[in-house]
Amino acid sequence: MFLRKRLVMAEKAVVIYSGGMDSFTILNKAKAEGYELYALTFDYGQKHRKEIAFATRVCEELEINHRIIDITAINQLLQSSSLTSDIEIPEGHYEAANMKSTVVPNRNMILLSLAIGYAVDIGASKVFYGAHSGDHAIYPDCRPDFVHAMNKVAKLANYEPVDIVTPYLNSDKTEILADGLKMGLDYGKSWTCYNGREKACGKCGSCVERLEAFAHNHATDPLAYENS
């Protein structure tokens, strides 16, 4: 008598994957947990479109389903952010008041809505995204109240419930990096700088926070920086 092996299908999950170090860590974490991943990268007209190229290379290397979605049309309505307009990218730490210029109104609500719709369409039960405590001060759509509210909406908006998963919601960049380093991740495959030049500027809020995380972990950032 022959026993047939029962094939267990991996659970599908969507990852909002910008190409930055937070989503890079989450992508690899979700993959290690055995999900069948579908990565979504959004082109919303950000100055640092270079992150999209990084996201593409990583997904090709890991053989992850990957779609780049052009939503640049939203900039007909959203021009108040320094990430998507002619406003200069501010320098300094995220806790500084001038960092508010990097807020893109409703960005994560827009991205999550599209990702949830995609999840329902392909039969995925989860959407991962990289909200973390380091962003709570400046970005309202990375705070726990927002995430919990969107999770409720995700379960009401469709017949199929979708969970929004934020593994690092209460962790800062230092803790995220520590987790990734334990996994042996190469952060030279991620891009963080808000200025999409050849080298990272080292001065924008995103770079400052990244460099701070590496320093706290007694590690060296593999990315090349200007004036270094």
Side-chain angles (χ1 to χ4, degrees):
M1 182 178 180
F2 295 96
L3 295 176
R4 294 182 179 179
K5 290 185 178 180
R6 184 179 178 183
L7 296 177
V8 179
M9 301 296 290
E11 185 178 357
K12 292 181 180 179
V14 173
V15 179
I16 298 178
Y17 182 41
S18 68
M21 64 183 295
D22 306 323
S23 62
F24 174 67
T25 309
I26 287 174
L27 184 82
N28 281 276
K29 188 179 185 71
K31 182 175 175 60
E33 290 174 357
Y35 290 98
E36 180 183 342
L37 298 182
Y38 293 78
L40 278 183
T41 301
F42 293 97
D43 179 355
Y44 56 92
Q46 62 268 47
K47 290 176 182 174
H48 52 303
R49 291 188 74 259
K50 187 170 182 176
E51 65 180 1
I52 298 174
F54 276 72
T56 299
R57 286 196 291 270
V58 167
C59 287
E60 288 175 350
E61 179 182 313
L62 297 178
E63 298 182 335
I64 290 173
N65 294 290
H66 184 218
R67 299 187 68 175
I68 300 169
I69 308 301
D70 184 347
I71 58 170
T72 53
I74 67 172
N75 288 319
Q76 296 177 55
L77 303 174
L78 309 177
Q79 279 291 301
S80 62
S81 174
S82 57
L83 298 189
T84 57
S85 68
D86 294 332
I87 301 171
E88 188 174 348
I89 299 287
E91 296 180 355
H93 199 277
Y94 269 137
E95 293 182 1
N98 64 341
M99 290 299 153
K100 287 185 178 179
S101 79
T102 64
V103 174
V104 178
N106 261 8
R107 177 177 60 178
N108 282 340
M109 183 179 285
I110 294 167
L111 304 190
L112 281 168
S113 294
L114 293 170
I116 291 165
Y118 181 46
V120 170
D121 194 64
I122 63 173
S125 61
K126 292 180 173 60
V127 170
F128 286 82
Y129 97 106
H132 65 87
S133 66
D135 285 343
H136 293 176
I138 199 70
Y139 299 122
D141 57 1
C142 288
R143 295 172 185 164
D145 285 350
F146 170 80
V147 174
H148 299 326
M150 280 299 293
N151 227 328
K152 291 180 181 178
V153 170
K155 292 173 176 59
L156 294 171
N158 299 282
Y159 290 112
E160 301 84 358
V162 174
D163 287 323
I164 296 172
V165 184
T166 50
Y168 300 115
L169 184 60
N170 297 306
S171 304
D172 60 20
K173 188 85 77 175
T174 297
E175 293 168 312
I176 295 171
L177 178 61
D179 199 22
L181 293 175
K182 287 179 183 177
M183 288 189 277
L185 302 185
D186 176 6
Y187 282 91
K189 297 177 180 178
S190 67
W191 181 263
T192 300
C193 182
Y194 280 153
N195 291 293
R197 299 191 287 261
E198 182 180 353
K199 295 182 180 180
C201 73
K203 297 178 179 180
C204 68
S206 194
C207 278
V208 169
E209 189 182 39
R210 176 177 173 129
L211 288 169
E212 195 175 71
F214 272 93
H216 288 165
N217 278 284
H218 307 289
T220 301
D221 190 345
L223 281 186
Y225 284 82
E226 297 171 354
N227 302 319
S228 64

